[in-house]
Amino acid sequence: MKLRIVVTLKNGVLDPQGKAIHHALTGLGFTGVNDVRAGRLIELDVADNTTDEAIDEMCRKLLANTVIENYRVERASPGKVEAGFPSGDANKKGA
Amino acid sequence: MKLRIVVTLKNGVLDPQGKAIHHALTGLGFTGVNDVRAGRLIELDVADNTTDEAIDEMCRKLLANTVIENYRVERASPGKVEAGFPSGDANKKGA
């Protein structure tokens, strides 16, 4: 079972990495960028019988610092094998 | 317009961060974890008139190292404002 754990900073927490990216984009001449937030993504391949509780515990114990970070667990839909993850109108690029 | 840029290592590229997470999960007693890959997530809030080409250029010039990384651009669906990003059966946690 493939999972994607998305870890993002909570609102109100300073994001120096995002600020640096924003600054760099502006410096490269990209206008119209209002805000940038940096986060982490962890792709897990776990056994099919792994419970939601176990996944939640992994996130709280290791993958995310819940004091300053939110996490979200996204699952690959069981019906769709080729897509890997449900990602709406996502475009795979740079392959 | 809110965008989510997902940057992941290409297949075959060594992922020491993912390996370390895998090792730590095993050490914490979580069995059944087959593989872990670490990636980056960059949330951009850009002007609505930003072209796909500009977004692509941002990724290639700054956000991803296309020699070793893939990137994927995910868009918030125009119809859905509350969800923020299309994420299938995602569960927001840790808020």
Side-chain angles (χ1 to χ4, degrees):
Chain A
M1 181 170 59
K2 296 225 177 208
L3 300 172
R4 192 157 80 156
I5 316 287
V6 174
V7 181
T8 50
L9 283 172
K10 289 186 179 180
N11 282 335
V13 178
L14 278 180
D15 181 6
Q17 194 186 357
K19 265 217 166 74
I21 294 170
H22 192 171
H23 187 76
L25 284 173
T26 310
L28 283 170
F30 294 106
T31 53
V33 180
N34 302 321
D35 193 28
V36 181
R37 302 282 286 175
R40 286 199 313 284
L41 179 94
I42 298 143
E43 290 180 341
L44 294 179
D45 183 2
V46 297
D48 286 345
N49 59 1
T50 307
T51 60
D52 285 1
E53 287 71 31
I55 294 161
D56 218 50
E57 208 181 335
M58 288 181 204
C59 293
R60 279 183 286 103
K61 278 198 176 167
L62 184 74
L63 304 178
N65 174 359
T66 54
V67 176
I68 56 167
E69 290 171 333
N70 288 326
Y71 65 91
R72 197 167 52 225
V73 180
E74 300 178 1
R75 272 154 230 283
S77 309
K80 291 186 216 162
V81 179
E82 82 292 339
F85 293 108
S87 51
D89 52 345
N91 312 307
K92 185 109 185 177
K93 290 279 177 65
Chain B
M1 180 169 60
K2 295 226 179 209
L3 300 172
R4 192 158 81 156
I5 316 288
V6 174
V7 181
T8 50
L9 282 171
K10 289 187 178 179
N11 282 335
V13 177
L14 278 181
D15 181 7
Q17 194 187 355
K19 265 217 166 75
I21 295 170
H22 192 172
H23 187 76
L25 284 173
T26 309
L28 284 170
F30 295 106
T31 53
V33 179
N34 302 320
D35 192 29
V36 181
R37 302 282 286 176
R40 285 199 314 282
L41 179 94
I42 299 143
E43 291 180 340
L44 293 179
D45 183 2
V46 296
D48 287 345
N49 60 1
T50 307
T51 62
D52 285 1
E53 287 72 30
I55 295 161
D56 218 50
E57 208 181 334
M58 287 181 203
C59 294
R60 279 183 286 104
K61 279 198 175 168
L62 185 75
L63 304 178
N65 174 359
T66 54
V67 176
I68 56 167
E69 291 171 333
N70 288 326
Y71 64 91
R72 197 168 50 227
V73 181
E74 299 178 0
R75 272 153 229 283
S77 309
K80 291 186 216 163
V81 179
E82 81 291 340
F85 293 107
S87 52
D89 53 345
N91 313 306
K92 186 110 184 179
K93 291 278 176 65

